[in-house]
Amino acid sequence: MTHVTFVTNVLPDYRVPVFALLCEDSSLRVRFLVSRPLRYSSAAAVRTFDVQHSISLNPWFKHSRRRSPAEQSDPVPIPVALFLQLLAVRADVIVAGDWGLRSVVALLAARLKRAKFVIWSEETPNSARGRSEIQHAIRRWLARRCDAVLAWSQEAVQYARDIGLNQNRIFRSYQTCDNDYWLSASKTLDRGSLRIALAVRGTVFLVVGRLLKLKGIHLLLDAWADLDASRQRQATLLIVGDGPEAGALLHQSLRLGLRNVRFLGHMSADRLVQAYVAADVFVLPSLLDVWALVVNEAMLCGLPVLGSRYAGACGEMLTHDGLGRVFDPLDRPVFAELLSFFVDSASSFDRCDIRRAAAVMNPKLAARGINQMIRALA
């Protein structure tokens, strides 16, 4: 039996199907050490898996991004108990979920235990911009010493190469959500009834996410303002989510005199699937997303995607024009032109084809990638 320990911040709901498949393998013994208290992890994960809290300090660190006037805030785990916890458990492979101090501690423990050490990486060349020189130096140091990198996207693979890893030390996994839920839930809903309930008509554009500067929704509103009056009358923009920019975005919408723009606030999954089904086009104007699982969700519900080139999911999932378009949200004229295109042609996209394309990116594929890495190292 191979003993594998994952060290990460939290276990979110969308990882549960992947790790459930991994834990079903009787030749593996899988445990998780999470830096944040267990209440921040999925209740299903805590109930089902061997999950322990590893006491850590979790200060938030701000750093600027070159492509946005906003700052990005990230928790920086400072492990307190991790080293002793790792020494106390059997581990043949230790997988650490960052490029920082926590991974340095996990590497030292792995070397003492003669275990293989892996970096679990979602970082992309775009998301790595703006990191400090100290951070880059730590990453290069870790890259020279880790046994492998588990990259969760093709762009994460590219980043691992950029900092010096050979291809034979990079293993690929995949960013997936609970495909079964979004596919089955969306197929049971009546689209016409939902549109009546939401009081929408014409071409409905949907954006979902935290209302932050880096999500680029202010750029979407600017581009929406550039639509001619007739197209604004033929379309509706639904904005789902909350966050610190909510007031500023509402003020921007009013100042620009935008037609048919509605802020719906936060939605639970059962309400969100209704919004996906009622909509015609999903828009992701983000300036920074290592992936963006909302793209998976929207496509599983049959929506074509107008997606930012700065989100990993768009370059990887929008593989041809029948699934949507990839664009630069900083290019306002092109953004407005694409909105006009979708106002006129959204109904021409085949929702069944989009669902099938999205379903390829599934938890089984993700779990298989992790398993292949473990087998190669063990």
Side-chain angles (χ1 to χ4, degrees):
M1 179 175 288
T2 302
H3 291 248
V4 184
T5 299
F6 289 87
V7 180
T8 186
N9 284 330
V10 297
L11 286 178
D13 285 322
Y14 64 84
R15 296 278 192 222
V16 171
V18 176
F19 287 125
L21 290 167
L22 202 65
C23 291
E24 287 175 4
D25 188 334
S26 60
S27 68
L28 299 179
R29 173 71 167 85
V30 182
R31 60 171 56 86
F32 303 89
L33 295 176
V34 294
S35 299
R36 304 197 72 190
L38 295 184
R39 66 180 179 274
Y40 292 102
S41 287
S42 161
V46 173
R47 186 172 57 249
T48 307
F49 307 143
D50 181 354
V51 186
Q52 298 177 41
H53 175 219
S54 180
I55 298 172
S56 303
L57 302 177
N58 294 284
W60 286 78
F61 175 75
K62 290 184 178 181
H63 51 273
S64 61
R65 293 291 182 182
R66 296 176 187 175
R67 296 189 177 275
S68 172
E71 290 182 319
Q72 171 79 1
S73 294
D74 297 308
V76 180
I78 301 175
V80 175
L82 179 62
F83 186 72
L84 293 179
Q85 284 177 300
L86 288 173
L87 291 183
V89 300
R90 180 176 173 183
D92 302 302
V93 181
I94 296 174
V95 184
D98 65 8
W99 287 97
L101 179 59
R102 182 174 53 194
S103 289
V104 173
V105 171
L107 170 62
L108 295 175
R111 290 296 174 260
L112 282 175
K113 296 177 70 67
R114 297 185 179 179
K116 300 294 185 180
F117 173 69
V118 179
I119 297 283
W120 161 351
S121 178
E122 300 180 0
E123 193 78 284
T124 70
N126 182 52
S127 65
R129 293 190 181 102
R131 302 289 185 185
S132 70
E133 286 304 316
I134 293 175
Q135 287 176 300
H136 287 304
I138 292 172
R139 289 163 181 229
R140 289 190 294 268
W141 185 86
L142 284 166
R144 290 193 298 271
R145 289 162 177 80
C146 67
D147 295 292
V149 162
L150 179 65
W152 285 83
S153 69
Q154 190 55 46
E155 288 198 8
V157 170
Q158 183 59 53
Y159 178 72
R161 291 173 180 160
D162 289 348
I163 61 172
L165 273 96
N166 295 327
Q167 182 62 44
N168 61 5
R169 288 199 291 148
I170 303 172
F171 294 84
R172 174 71 203 278
S173 189
Y174 297 83
Q175 297 279 21
T176 70
C177 56
D178 188 344
N179 288 23
D180 291 342
Y181 171 78
W182 296 103
L183 284 169
S184 60
S186 64
K187 290 178 180 178
T188 61
L189 297 172
D190 181 72
R191 175 172 156 80
S193 300
L194 291 174
R195 288 170 70 90
I196 292 171
L198 284 170
V200 295
R201 59 186 176 82
T203 304
V204 178
F205 292 79
L206 175 66
V207 59
V208 178
R210 286 276 290 157
L211 303 187
L212 306 170
K213 273 280 189 180
L214 283 171
K215 296 301 181 181
I217 299 172
H218 61 294
L219 302 175
L220 170 58
L221 295 180
D222 283 340
W224 193 267
D226 292 343
L227 289 174
D228 59 65
S230 65
R231 284 198 173 90
Q232 283 200 35
R233 285 194 296 270
Q234 296 171 47
T236 301
L237 174 60
L238 302 180
I239 300 173
V240 173
D242 55 22
E245 290 296 307
L249 292 169
L250 179 59
H251 177 74
Q252 180 185 359
S253 178
L254 294 173
R255 175 174 53 81
L256 294 172
L258 301 183
R259 295 173 179 263
N260 298 336
V261 175
R262 293 166 54 188
F263 292 82
L264 302 183
H266 172 74
M267 284 186 172
S268 58
D270 59 331
R271 291 182 59 217
L272 181 55
V273 72
Q274 296 176 15
Y276 284 135
V277 172
D280 297 283
V281 184
F282 185 76
V283 188
L284 184 76
S286 179
L287 292 169
L288 177 69
D289 263 302
V290 293
W291 184 257
L293 280 169
V294 286
V295 173
N296 300 58
E297 295 170 2
M299 292 179 66
L300 289 165
C301 294
L303 289 183
V305 175
L306 176 54
S308 168
R309 60 175 291 199
Y310 306 118
C314 297
E316 195 154 338
M317 296 192 70
L318 304 182
T319 54
H320 58 80
D321 286 349
L323 305 175
R325 299 291 189 277
V326 180
F327 76 110
D328 188 341
L330 293 169
D331 190 334
R332 180 167 171 172
V334 169
F335 199 167
E337 182 181 332
L338 285 168
L339 289 173
S340 295
F341 166 78
F342 277 102
V343 171
D344 298 334
S345 64
S347 61
S348 67
F349 287 85
D350 188 317
R351 295 173 80 104
C352 291
D353 282 349
I354 294 171
R355 283 192 176 99
R356 281 193 291 269
V360 171
M361 196 79 72
N362 59 66
K364 287 184 180 179
L365 189 65
R368 188 182 307 136
I370 300 171
N371 213 309
Q372 286 172 349
M373 177 202 71
I374 294 169
R375 301 301 175 203
L377 294 177

